[in-house]
Amino acid sequence: MSEISVTERLRLKKNADRRLKAGHLWLYSNEIDTQATPLKTFEPGAQAVIEAANGKAMAVAYVNPHSLICARVVSRDPNVRLDRSLLVHRLKQALGLRERLFTKPFYRLIHGEGDLLPGLIVDRFDDVLVVQLNTLGMERLGEEVVAALDKVLSPRAIVFKNDSSGRRQEQLERQVSLVKGELPEQVLLEENGVRFAVPVLEGQKTGWFYDHRANRAWLNGLVAGKRVLDVFSYIGGWGVQAAAHGASEVLCIDASGEALERVAENAALNGLTEQVAIGEGDAFEVLAALKADNEQFDVVILDPPAFIKKRKDIPNGERAYSRLNREAMRLLGRDGLLVSASCSMHLAPERLMECIRGAVRHQDRHGQVIYQGHQGPDHPVHPAIPETAYLKALGVRVFRD
């Protein structure tokens, strides 16, 4: 058992404890009474007791004085510390939920604040765990995270995939390393009855996006006999599943040739080589080229990377989402289905709906929203932290009179 003594105090300004009382786990640097407790005196990553303006202890958090979010709460009990014992407890709580939700060991095990472990992401691929330590406070506990995962799950291998853009804001280096065990020749998962090989070392994020599992399952029931276009396909999560569920033909588009090689491998893994084709290129350019060739599809899937990473990106990002949906709709037949997704936290659901509305009218068509999806239950939303609800997916019937 690791023991971390917390003697530091971080005091809030008057009335700056409202969000904390409401359940939020973040504290911003402009909420700190820096006269009483100067942020610059804190060692980055150290833990501190959070005090209200009247000196009452409210919580324990880890601190990064160089970040806008200068403290992240790990417990509301001022006597508790984020150590191996608490990590094991929270891991067991998270595992209990996932084992109720899923019959097979393929899921997001820890979803940061949603599982009360800010800065920590763990994706499970059976006996291989891929970990992201996205904050300085969690980085300092890397060895404890490994020990806790080992105690709870005894995995064959643990990978640290510490290459997220968020680490830059925490002044952390980006690096990828195998920290325990040996990786099998192929890291495999199964989702909605379809198998995938996952590039956990060189792929995007942890190698896979479990958050769309339920949205893919919904679409899988509607693709039999259809011609499907999967834009921003990555390694085929949407497209290969569509083929496995009866799509007559699937074209997967991505800017990464390496990702498309994985699409081909995953199609072969499921005996779907004949149904799945690949095309490399910029999404907007490929959509325009397909239109110029008079191609038509029954289903178009748009699952782009985040066009809006910061608030200042919102105007340009919304224009990009609008343009993307317009171009995609041009490729649908008289009565087609568009799946339009966004993982941009800063794009409000009603703004994605507005992008769809504008695109439908631009094409002089009708639209019916028949599905509204979000992240799966292994990506739990913290009710006090709107930022944890980031994923949106709309299923839209697009048709002419």
Side-chain angles (χ1 to χ4, degrees):
M1 172 88 60
S2 64
E3 292 190 4
I4 301 173
S5 121
V6 176
T7 56
E8 298 284 354
R9 298 287 189 271
L10 190 63
R11 183 163 294 186
L12 299 175
K13 292 177 181 176
K14 187 177 181 181
N15 297 326
D17 58 358
R18 288 174 179 167
R19 282 185 316 106
L20 192 60
K21 284 180 177 177
H24 212 295
L25 303 181
W26 297 352
L27 298 171
Y28 292 92
S29 53
N30 62 2
E31 296 173 321
I32 306 304
D33 182 349
T34 52
Q35 295 295 315
T37 54
L39 271 170
K40 62 185 179 183
T41 64
F42 282 85
E43 180 187 353
Q47 295 184 43
V49 173
I50 306 301
E51 294 181 343
N54 63 5
K56 180 185 176 184
M58 297 182 69
V60 169
Y62 60 71
V63 181
N64 185 347
H66 306 304
S67 177
L68 176 63
I69 303 173
C70 68
R72 297 174 195 253
V73 171
V74 295
S75 175
R76 295 189 177 278
D77 182 346
N79 298 309
V80 167
R81 307 295 174 250
L82 181 57
D83 57 14
R84 191 181 308 181
S85 174
L86 183 59
L87 285 165
V88 167
H89 174 64
R90 294 269 163 85
L91 281 167
K92 287 180 176 178
Q93 285 181 320
L95 181 62
L97 172 64
R98 275 66 178 183
E99 289 181 337
R100 292 204 300 272
L101 292 169
F102 307 110
T103 58
K104 295 187 178 180
F106 308 109
Y107 42 69
R108 173 150 294 185
L109 174 62
I110 295 292
H111 186 57
E113 283 80 356
D115 285 297
L116 306 180
L117 286 172
L120 180 64
I121 299 292
V122 183
D123 277 358
R124 184 179 186 185
F125 306 96
D126 194 6
D127 56 0
V128 174
L129 303 178
V130 183
V131 177
Q132 290 185 308
L133 306 171
N134 291 325
T135 57
L136 184 58
M138 201 56 76
E139 171 94 353
R140 282 186 51 162
L141 289 164
E143 290 184 11
E144 306 300 334
V145 169
V146 171
L149 289 169
D150 225 8
K151 180 170 183 177
V152 175
L153 284 171
S154 301
R156 170 179 179 172
I158 300 176
V159 171
F160 274 6
K161 193 77 188 311
N162 292 331
D163 60 353
S164 68
S165 58
R167 283 175 65 88
R168 196 181 308 119
Q169 296 163 10
E170 293 272 319
Q171 299 185 354
L172 293 169
E173 293 181 4
R174 299 170 75 168
Q175 54 192 8
V176 177
S177 56
L178 178 65
V179 294
K180 186 218 167 192
E182 292 183 5
L183 285 173
E185 189 174 328
Q186 278 190 318
V187 177
L188 297 174
L189 71 88
E190 183 181 316
E191 182 181 289
N192 299 325
V194 185
R195 292 190 304 154
F196 291 88
V198 183
V200 296
L201 291 176
E202 65 276 9
Q204 295 178 22
K205 300 294 178 74
T206 63
W208 182 254
F209 297 92
Y210 280 124
D211 51 5
H212 269 304
R213 181 198 322 248
N215 302 325
R216 294 185 187 119
W218 172 79
L219 181 65
N220 290 343
L222 297 172
V223 295
K226 305 297 185 184
R227 189 171 194 234
V228 176
L229 175 63
D230 179 9
V231 189
F232 307 100
S233 69
Y234 183 43
I235 63 173
W238 291 90
V240 172
Q241 285 193 40
H245 287 85
S248 59
E249 185 181 340
V250 178
L251 175 58
C252 289
I253 301 297
D254 203 274
S256 165
E258 192 174 326
L260 291 170
E261 288 177 16
R262 301 279 184 178
V263 171
E265 289 175 17
N266 285 322
L269 188 63
N270 292 279
L272 299 167
T273 300
E274 294 298 314
Q275 291 97 310
V276 179
I278 57 176
E280 183 177 349
D282 172 82
F284 290 99
E285 292 175 3
V286 172
L287 290 173
L290 289 169
K291 180 59 181 174
D293 290 341
N294 293 314
E295 294 282 1
Q296 275 196 355
F297 297 86
D298 303 301
V299 179
V300 177
I301 303 156
L302 302 175
D303 185 16
F307 289 157
I308 305 172
K309 296 190 185 301
K310 298 177 181 175
R311 288 190 184 277
K312 67 179 179 62
D313 301 330
I314 289 176
N316 286 338
E318 288 188 357
R319 281 192 287 272
Y321 284 113
S322 293
R323 181 185 166 207
L324 181 64
N325 282 281
R326 284 199 307 271
E327 295 302 308
M329 284 183 192
R330 296 170 69 205
L331 293 170
L332 287 170
R334 289 191 63 85
D335 193 347
L337 179 63
L338 174 71
V339 175
S340 183
S342 169
C343 60
S344 294
M345 177 190 73
H346 294 295
L347 182 72
E350 59 270 20
R351 296 305 299 163
L352 179 59
M353 188 77 79
E354 179 61 19
C355 291
I356 295 293
R357 185 205 62 77
V360 168
R361 295 311 307 139
H362 188 272
Q363 302 298 327
D364 197 24
R365 299 195 190 191
H366 299 288
Q368 293 174 317
V369 177
I370 59 174
Y371 177 79
Q372 297 185 57
H374 42 77
Q375 65 217 57
D378 52 345
H379 293 63
V381 173
H382 192 299
I385 309 178
E387 295 87 349
T388 59
Y390 66 96
L391 194 71
K392 298 152 284 280
L394 296 177
V396 188
R397 181 193 185 200
V398 180
F399 62 102
R400 301 184 189 276
D401 269 339

